[in-house]
């Protein structure tokens, strides 16, 4: 039973649910679907805690939600967001079931592709703080982030557009310009380190390999759940 801790935003959490069911159907066939539980928080509350730097309170909120998923019968957890993995330790300290860390599944995919230097797109928290980048560098990866103006643009696109269900061609073009600059700086591939960015950019859009963290995370969860 996969426990999904989502709602950050629900736009990407809906993708978690869809992809999990598609993968189980594809692997088991017929009318099979994923055995999962979804706990969806109010993102406005979480975003306020992010913006005001109240990460301890955010960690307490998500740990309590994770505990409810465990109590409901979840055998493993996926936190359906990159940014809130900043408080992953608070969750793992609270529950007894495993949490599949999104940065680990992403690092596995990058290394399997034979790459060592990657660009990272995500929220300002993910790009600028060390909780995510350090997890990748600990696996031997070199992580490049955009310049300050580009980071601000990506952050704005995520919160002001993608989290609200707005997918803009002009924003796609702007983000792909940032991908080009990361590539010029030496990135061999780019991590789509925000679960909403996959709504905007896909493999066909980029001149270098992209690593879609949502899909990679769900694939790891389904593989773990099915024992294969």
């Amino acid at each position: 039973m996969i426990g999904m801790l989502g709602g950050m935003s629900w736009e990407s959490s809906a993708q978690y649910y869809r992809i999990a069911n598609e993968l189980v159907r594809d692997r088991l066939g017929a009318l099979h679907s994923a055995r999962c539980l979804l706990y969806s928080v109010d993102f406005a509350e979480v975003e306020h805690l992010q913006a005001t730097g109240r990460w301890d309170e955010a960690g307490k909120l998500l740990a309590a939600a994770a505990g409810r998923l465990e109590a409901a019968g979840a055998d493993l957890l996926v936190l359906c967001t990159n940014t809130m993995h900043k408080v992953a330790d608070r969750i793992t300290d609270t529950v007894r079931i495993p949490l599949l860390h999104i940065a680990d599944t992403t690092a596995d995919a990058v290394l399997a592709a034979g790459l060592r230097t990657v660009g990272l797109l995500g929220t300002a928290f993910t790009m600028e703080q060390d909780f995510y980048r350090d997890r990748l560098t600990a696996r031997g990866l070199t992580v490049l982030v955009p310049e300050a103006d580009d980071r601000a643009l990506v952050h704005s696109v995520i919160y002001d557009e993608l989290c609200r269900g707005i997918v803009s061609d002009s924003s796609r073009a702007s983000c792909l310009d940032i991908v080009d600059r990361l590539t010029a700086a030496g990135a061999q591939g780019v991590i789509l380190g925000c679960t909403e960015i996959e709504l905007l950019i896909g493999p066909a859009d980029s001149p270098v390999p992209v690593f879609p963290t949502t899909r990679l995370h769900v694939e790891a969860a389904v593989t773990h759940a099915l024992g294969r």
Side-chain angles (χ1 to χ4, degrees):
M1 180 75 74
I2 301 171
M4 298 180 179
L5 180 47
M8 299 166 281
S9 68
W10 71 259
E11 295 282 351
S12 63
S13 299
Q15 302 306 309
Y16 268 80
Y17 183 76
R18 177 184 59 80
I19 295 169
N21 281 286
E22 288 175 349
L23 289 172
V24 171
R25 178 197 61 199
D26 293 345
R27 296 187 190 188
L28 299 183
L31 297 177
H32 287 287
S33 55
R35 297 181 68 246
C36 61
L37 299 167
L38 173 61
Y39 188 105
S40 185
V41 302
D42 181 356
F43 187 42
E45 182 178 358
V46 174
E47 189 277 333
H48 179 67
L49 296 175
Q50 292 175 343
T52 54
R54 293 153 64 186
W55 295 101
D56 286 343
E57 292 178 52
K60 182 178 180 181
L61 185 155
L62 295 189
R68 294 187 180 101
L69 283 169
E70 181 179 37
D75 299 305
L76 69 152
L77 289 174
V78 289
L79 180 56
C80 306
T81 163
N82 284 271
T83 297
M84 294 313 296
H85 276 74
K86 180 177 173 69
V87 300
D89 288 347
R90 182 66 181 266
I91 294 172
T92 56
D93 288 344
T94 301
V95 299
R96 295 180 299 276
I97 58 177
L99 171 74
L100 299 184
H101 199 292
I102 197 168
D104 293 342
T105 59
T106 301
D108 288 342
V110 175
L111 294 170
L115 308 185
R116 290 297 183 271
T117 302
V118 287
L120 174 62
L121 297 182
T123 66
F125 309 111
T126 300
M127 292 186 288
E128 295 172 2
Q129 298 182 20
D130 59 10
F131 69 94
Y132 196 91
R133 290 184 287 110
D134 283 359
R135 192 96 178 190
L136 298 173
T137 57
R139 299 288 299 277
L141 299 177
T142 298
V143 181
L144 307 179
V145 297
E147 297 294 332
D149 287 348
D150 286 344
R151 295 198 302 270
L153 187 150
V154 174
H155 186 86
S156 175
V157 168
I158 292 168
Y159 281 89
D160 297 337
E161 297 179 17
L162 299 177
C163 287
R164 302 168 188 263
I166 301 169
V167 180
S168 161
D169 288 339
S170 60
S171 293
R172 178 181 294 108
S174 295
C175 287
L176 289 174
D177 286 342
I178 296 171
V179 169
D180 288 340
R181 287 191 279 277
L182 287 169
T183 302
Q188 300 166 309
V190 174
I191 293 172
L192 305 181
C194 171
T195 51
E196 285 83 15
I197 291 182
E198 289 164 62
L199 301 172
L200 188 69
I201 297 174
D205 299 312
S206 173
V208 294
V210 296
F211 296 90
T213 53
T214 294
R215 176 166 288 277
L216 294 170
H217 204 198
V218 181
E219 287 175 349
V222 168
T223 297
H224 189 99
L226 296 181
R228 63 188 72 183

